[in-house]
Amino acid sequence: MNRLLISLAAAFAAATATLGDEPGSAFPIKPVPPHADFRVAVARIIVAPDRTDWTYKPGEPVTFRVAVLADNTPIEGAVVDYAIGPDLMPGEWKTVAVPTGGLELDGGSMEEPGFLRCKVKATIGGKLYTSAATAAFAPEKIVPFATDPED
């Protein structure tokens, strides 16, 4: 029991030793070596279109909202790479810093029925995290473009 308490006290001291290292930051998220004996924050990237039903009429603009969190707290100064384009098609990757309050990305629009996807990735604490969101343009009007074979 004594060893457990000493181990917990050491982990707490190591975890709190970095607090306040960065000006204006109450709790900076820092990379932790893989051999660390204490728990590392759980990071997540959240991406969502600006409509809760994710559907749009052709020609309507889409805004994707992005947040980078560690234990449900925004990570200050997080940098992400993102690409926006038709689903299953490669988009141009861009890099941007995400403000603590989140980021809004102009997704543009689509003139034809289909899906527009926003892919986001970031390396946090040495680990790659990815996320994506999709906006549907007139999904009820999407028709197959391939035909079934005769046999």
Side-chain angles (χ1 to χ4, degrees):
M1 182 71 166
N2 235 0
R3 281 188 172 157
L4 176 62
L5 290 175
I6 292 170
S7 185
L8 287 173
F12 180 76
T16 57
T18 60
L19 291 177
D21 283 355
E22 298 175 14
S25 176
F27 189 76
I29 304 299
K30 299 202 180 230
V32 177
H35 61 276
D37 291 333
F38 53 92
R39 184 174 121 22
V40 178
V42 177
R44 292 187 311 152
I45 300 173
I46 299 173
V47 184
D50 56 344
R51 292 197 184 161
T52 56
D53 67 356
W54 300 32
T55 58
Y56 300 81
K57 294 178 183 173
E60 289 184 326
V62 178
T63 300
F64 289 100
R65 295 185 178 130
V66 178
V68 182
L69 310 171
D71 285 345
N72 295 324
T73 302
I75 297 177
E76 187 174 330
V79 176
V80 299
D81 297 319
Y82 73 93
I84 300 174
D87 194 24
L88 302 178
M89 300 296 287
E92 179 184 343
W93 286 94
K94 299 176 183 177
T95 302
V96 65
V98 180
T100 306
L103 176 69
E104 291 190 353
L105 300 172
D106 179 11
S109 184
M110 292 181 72
E111 296 301 322
E112 300 291 324
F115 299 100
L116 185 67
R117 182 168 294 253
C118 177
K119 300 175 189 177
V120 180
K121 61 184 178 179
T123 301
I124 303 165
K127 184 177 177 186
L128 178 66
Y129 292 86
T130 62
S131 188
T134 305
F137 289 85
E140 69 282 354
K141 294 182 181 177
I142 297 174
V143 295
F145 61 89
T147 58
D148 290 332
E150 295 293 327
D151 57 347

